Amino acid sequence: MSFSEQIVYAMFKPSKYKEMLELKKSRFVVFVIVLMLALGIVRVAVPTAAVITGFGGFENLFINKISPMEYKDDKLSIEEKFEMSVGTYKVIIDTEDSRFPDEKMRRKGGYLAFGSEYMTLAYNVGGRVTRYQEIKLDSFLSEGFNNESLQKMIPFIYSYIVFMFIASCGVYFVKYALLSLIFGFFVNSINKKAGIGLSFGEVFKLCFYGQTLGIIISNFNMALGFLPVILVSGVCVVLSVNMILSGIFAIGKTKQP
């Protein structure tokens, strides 16, 4: 069974799950790794690349788009206010006040705002601004910090993006592995009562395979924003349960004398 067949069967042919369970463990591991990398690309890499491309790269952003700024005498100053949208967040550098004021956070969404002395992380929901965190700039900016200092940080920024990509893939694995365990406890009771004879490890793999189509649909929808996330997630859970049950019942039929 080729890897492409493994993907297609996982999404559309639960009757083939028995054959897939008979593959080497390494084949299942590769299947999971590729699926999680695909989610990381769709949910993290592509949106991040789109944002970076949108402002022409970090060097262009730091040197050409952000006007000259400097941290001196424990205060940040910038020649012209800077504002940029990143998804639902707005990144703002406005050093007229020590803290970026609530009245300037008029639009709904998140704010990462820099005043002359504080960095503020806030969110506007229904016209009400909630400040989640405020950090004094002297705790992470050094005297003389400026646009060129930002430029020197570009390699570290890209390293952080790579780290976040890998970490996101790990988070997706933990999420869907936990769901496979939850589904597995219920499916294993069917497995035992029907005398199908699968080990719990095989039940776990079956539940992971059964989630494949739902995983792909729900995450592509989250990335593209076609339909409400709650609606699509609910449909995908039902779809996954149907695929898993179809798989276990198909295996059960092959066990019948």
Side-chain angles (χ1 to χ4, degrees), residues 105-237:
M105 303 185 203
R106 301 185 195 92
R107 297 179 184 176
K108 293 180 182 178
Y111 288 83
L112 178 61
F114 294 82
S116 62
E117 296 181 50
Y118 290 88
M119 181 192 79
T120 301
L121 182 62
Y123 215 90
N124 182 325
V125 180
R128 181 178 179 180
V129 176
T130 301
R131 292 175 180 261
Y132 291 103
Q133 194 169 21
E134 282 195 333
I135 302 175
K136 216 165 185 310
L137 296 182
D138 63 10
S139 64
F140 62 93
L141 293 185
S142 57
E143 184 74 9
F145 185 89
N146 56 22
N147 300 65
E148 286 70 28
S149 303
L150 280 173
Q151 186 181 18
K152 291 176 183 177
M153 292 174 63
I154 291 175
F156 299 100
I157 293 172
Y158 279 116
S159 297
Y160 178 73
I161 290 172
V162 171
F163 170 77
M164 288 304 298
F165 170 77
I166 295 171
S168 297
C169 292
V171 169
Y172 295 139
F173 169 71
V174 171
K175 174 183 176 180
Y176 293 112
L178 285 173
L179 282 173
S180 295
L181 282 173
I182 293 170
F183 289 141
F185 285 121
F186 293 101
V187 174
N188 199 41
S189 63
I190 298 173
N191 170 50
K192 289 181 177 179
K193 288 179 181 177
I196 297 173
L198 296 179
S199 67
F200 189 78
E202 290 174 320
V203 170
F204 173 84
K205 288 196 287 185
L206 184 149
C207 291
F208 213 107
Y209 284 133
Q211 291 185 81
T212 304
L213 183 58
I215 288 172
I216 292 172
I217 292 174
S218 63
N219 282 280
F220 267 83
N221 179 69
M222 286 180 190
L224 300 174
F226 285 140
L227 295 169
V229 172
I230 294 177
L231 173 63
V232 175
S233 296
V235 170
C236 288
V237 168

Side-chain angles (χ1 to χ4, degrees), residues 3 7 27-41 165 169:
F3 182 78
I7 292 285
R27 297 287 299 278
F28 174 71
V29 171
V30 171
F31 175 88
V32 172
I33 291 173
V34 172
L35 183 58
M36 296 305 107
L37 287 174
L39 296 187
I41 290 170
F165 170 77
C169 292

